[in-house]
Amino acid sequence: SQTIHQWPATLVQPVGSPLSLECTVEGTSNPNLYWYRQAAGRGLQLLFYSVGIGQISSEVPQNLSASRPQDRQFILSSKKLLLSDSGFYLCAWSVPDREYSYEQYFGPGTRLTVT
Amino acid sequence: GQNIDQPTEMTATEGAIVQINCTYQTSGFNGLFWYQQHAGEAPTFLSYNVLDGLEEKGRFSSFLSRSKGYSYLLLKELQMKDSASYLCAVRDFGSARQLTFGSGTQLTVLP
């Protein structure tokens, strides 16, 4: 069966510090991968998605970046955090090239507080 | 682009039926999803509609009308554990089948 891991679960970082969040998927090959951010009491905002190694698409211009160094690894980074970067960060995966009932599966999330 | 609207909050009583509506305006439509999210947790998949009509899964049903840009999630025999946020999401024809999520409807089930 497939599983998705994210770490850390919680993180408190000062403004201006760097960030690295990691997501890995097990039990599937060549998944589509996604990074979302959710502000308190809000819906999910898609930040980045990837259809393959080294292929990253950005949905929202900001001070965050993403990388996919391996097939099942997705990393979210920042060189200098802003207060507005606080939120609940969710990684998700989906099966590629399937047309129907093509849901995304979410990891447990990382709660980031920038102070 | 996509624009998705759903009520911010709803309250219902244990054992009752509640309907959560979602309307959308999209440049491309390739399916509508409903997710459930408990506080502090990741969303979990509830239902998927790509054709008009009603899809039933146990106590949960979801309806879609593509011509009206409208969907609803129907929860029957409400239980306290159904208190959660319910997210409506529309999928487009992008290369990664991206989803655009609404802001979610926070449902509170009262005893």
Side-chain angles (χ1 to χ4, degrees):
Chain A
S1 63
Q2 300 88 4
T3 56
I4 179 169
H5 304 279
Q6 279 188 251
W7 63 91
T10 60
L11 192 59
V12 180
Q13 293 282 98
V15 168
S17 63
L19 173 73
S20 181
L21 302 180
E22 188 162 344
C23 170
T24 59
V25 181
E26 296 177 358
T28 187
S29 296
N30 194 33
N32 290 334
L33 295 172
Y34 312 84
W35 276 113
Y36 291 89
R37 177 171 60 202
Q38 186 175 34
R42 303 293 298 276
L44 279 67
Q45 179 188 33
L46 179 63
L47 302 176
F48 301 94
Y49 65 90
S50 171
V51 298
I53 295 175
Q55 300 180 61
I56 308 295
S57 296
S58 174
E59 288 290 296
V60 181
Q62 57 207 315
N63 68 319
L64 299 172
S65 62
S67 62
R68 185 170 177 174
Q70 300 181 43
D71 181 44
R72 288 169 287 180
Q73 183 185 29
F74 206 21
I75 298 172
L76 183 69
S77 304
S78 174
K79 293 182 179 179
K80 286 187 178 182
L81 283 169
L82 306 173
L83 285 175
S84 58
D85 291 324
S86 294
F88 191 38
Y89 287 82
L90 289 155
C91 180
W93 74 274
S94 65
V95 177
D97 300 324
R98 180 187 292 178
E99 194 65 30
Y100 295 106
S101 192
Y102 186 64
E103 65 263 33
Q104 294 181 12
Y105 304 91
F106 288 85
T110 295
R111 189 161 302 281
L112 172 66
T113 303
V114 182
T115 60
Chain B
Q2 319 275 35
N3 186 41
I4 301 171
D5 292 308
Q6 45 181 136
T8 304
E9 297 178 330
M10 297 184 71
T11 303
T13 305
E14 193 175 14
I17 299 173
V18 70
Q19 177 174 310
I20 302 174
N21 296 324
C22 172
T23 58
Y24 61 90
Q25 296 96 38
T26 63
S27 56
F29 179 83
N30 192 22
L32 188 142
F33 294 77
W34 283 96
Y35 281 80
Q36 180 191 60
Q37 185 179 25
H38 286 98
E41 298 181 7
T44 55
F45 170 75
L46 287 179
S47 69
Y48 167 77
N49 295 72
V50 68
L51 300 176
D52 291 349
L54 189 68
E55 296 283 341
E56 297 187 76
K57 290 174 72 173
R59 294 189 299 114
F60 292 11
S61 304
S62 57
F63 171 83
L64 175 67
S65 170
R66 289 172 296 171
S67 63
K68 296 181 179 179
Y70 168 69
S71 173
Y72 68 71
L73 180 69
L74 193 70
L75 292 76
K76 304 175 185 176
E77 301 170 14
L78 280 174
Q79 303 174 9
M80 299 297 290
K81 67 178 182 180
D82 297 329
S83 292
S85 181
Y86 291 85
L87 305 171
C88 173
V90 173
R91 184 176 72 189
D92 64 20
F93 288 98
S95 59
R97 304 290 192 262
Q98 299 91 297
L99 296 179
T100 301
F101 283 83
S103 297
T105 298
Q106 182 62 48
L107 174 66
T108 301
V109 180
L110 302 174

